Amino acid sequence: MNPRERRAARHQPPNPEAETAPRPRRRKAPITVEQVVDTALAVIAAEGYEALTMRRLAGALDTGPASLYAHVVNKADLDELLIGRLCAALVLPRPDAESAPAAWREQIRSVCTQMRDQYLKYPGISRAAFAMAPTNLEILRVSEGMLAILLAAGVAPQAAAWAIDALLLYVAAYCLETSIARQRSADDDVAWVVDRDELLRRLTALPAETFPHTTSHAAELTAGEGHDRFDFTLALMIDGLAHRQ
């Protein structure tokens, strides 16, 4: 069965005639796709996305790696299921062309912020969203909802389509970098590299004749608490769409 057929089969009722002789397995209870996703998310929450392999997941499910392929096509298919689960938790605002002119900006910002918060619950998981051509209905639900908001706001269809791609790409990249920074902060050997005070000290210590702007504005270059930079960049991108109306 090819990947396309496997994904389609998830939505079909079981076919008794297609059942084969049972294979030996360590588990007595059958594994479901939901259990696979639940367990994968638990592994990521505890150990990070990089720790998630099919072998590691099989061990957590108390089964063999080969048995997982009865439920997922491959790691890319698992990635799509994981991102789909996170997307299912997003509440999509209802587009309203008659609302306040700036309301659509807050609606798009809300979707992106919710996605950010979902990613950050599971260190590094946003890596799974890169270079994905989704078939998962929950992922498509999010892009459909964002498209509806932008079209209702009067953004041209092509600009809206590319803006959604750019916004979701930025959210995923931001969360991946944040996860990496947090991991490094926990490592005593490299924590100093991402320490803000240390970075400020290094920038101000540069030769001013070679780096006049960097040394003069080192405070601005290292400024920002929490998600300040995320909020700034998101506003910059969304405000730019106003010119596409």
Side-chain angles (χ1 to χ4, degrees), residues 1-222:
M1 183 182 292
N2 64 38
R4 182 178 299 176
E5 292 170 337
R6 180 70 59 80
R7 289 188 175 100
R10 287 198 189 112
H11 305 288
Q12 300 297 324
N15 181 6
E17 296 180 358
E19 293 181 357
T20 57
R23 299 179 180 179
R25 60 194 307 172
R26 286 181 286 169
R27 290 178 57 100
K28 293 182 179 180
I31 299 173
T32 66
V33 174
E34 290 297 309
Q35 286 177 308
V36 170
V37 175
D38 288 342
T39 305
L41 289 175
V43 170
I44 297 170
E47 305 173 32
Y49 176 75
E50 291 184 357
L52 182 67
T53 64
M54 298 301 274
R55 183 173 296 277
R56 174 69 183 86
L57 180 57
L61 285 164
D62 192 27
T63 189
S67 67
L68 292 180
Y69 294 105
H71 306 281
V72 295
V73 179
N74 49 33
K75 183 60 161 50
D77 189 27
L78 176 60
D79 285 344
E80 187 174 357
L81 288 169
L82 293 173
I83 300 301
R85 172 68 69 81
L86 301 189
C87 285
L90 271 59
V91 177
L92 300 179
R94 181 177 179 179
D96 184 2
E98 304 301 323
S99 62
W104 67 270
R105 302 185 191 192
E106 183 54 40
Q107 290 181 327
I108 287 294
R109 185 179 294 108
S110 172
V111 176
C112 293
T113 300
Q114 289 182 70
M115 191 77 257
R116 177 201 70 194
D117 293 344
Q118 286 297 312
Y119 282 151
L120 292 180
K121 291 179 182 178
Y122 306 97
I125 197 172
S126 63
R127 186 189 300 273
F130 289 107
M132 178 184 290
T135 60
N136 184 279
L137 296 183
E138 289 296 343
I139 300 176
L140 293 171
R141 180 184 72 93
V142 172
S143 60
E144 168 72 14
M146 295 178 73
L147 185 60
I149 292 169
L150 294 179
L151 293 178
V155 178
Q158 186 64 81
W162 285 349
I164 293 168
D165 181 64
L167 286 164
L168 294 179
L169 183 62
Y170 171 68
V171 174
Y174 172 85
C175 293
L176 180 58
E177 183 179 51
T178 299
S179 295
I180 293 172
R182 288 177 178 175
Q183 182 179 30
R184 289 179 177 175
S185 296
D187 188 333
D188 292 337
D189 293 334
V190 295
W192 66 272
V193 178
V194 293
D195 181 77
R196 179 181 174 186
D197 292 336
E198 171 63 20
L199 181 57
L200 180 61
R201 187 197 67 76
R202 290 162 60 196
L203 293 182
T204 54
L206 291 169
E209 62 276 12
T210 306
F211 303 97
H213 301 299
T214 299
T215 53
S216 295
H217 301 288
E220 289 84 355
L221 290 170
T222 58

Side-chain angles (χ1 to χ4, degrees), residues 170 227-237:
Y170 171 68
H227 296 303
D228 286 349
R229 290 177 179 239
F230 176 87
D231 295 336
F232 171 82
T233 305
L234 207 60
L236 198 66
M237 298 174 74

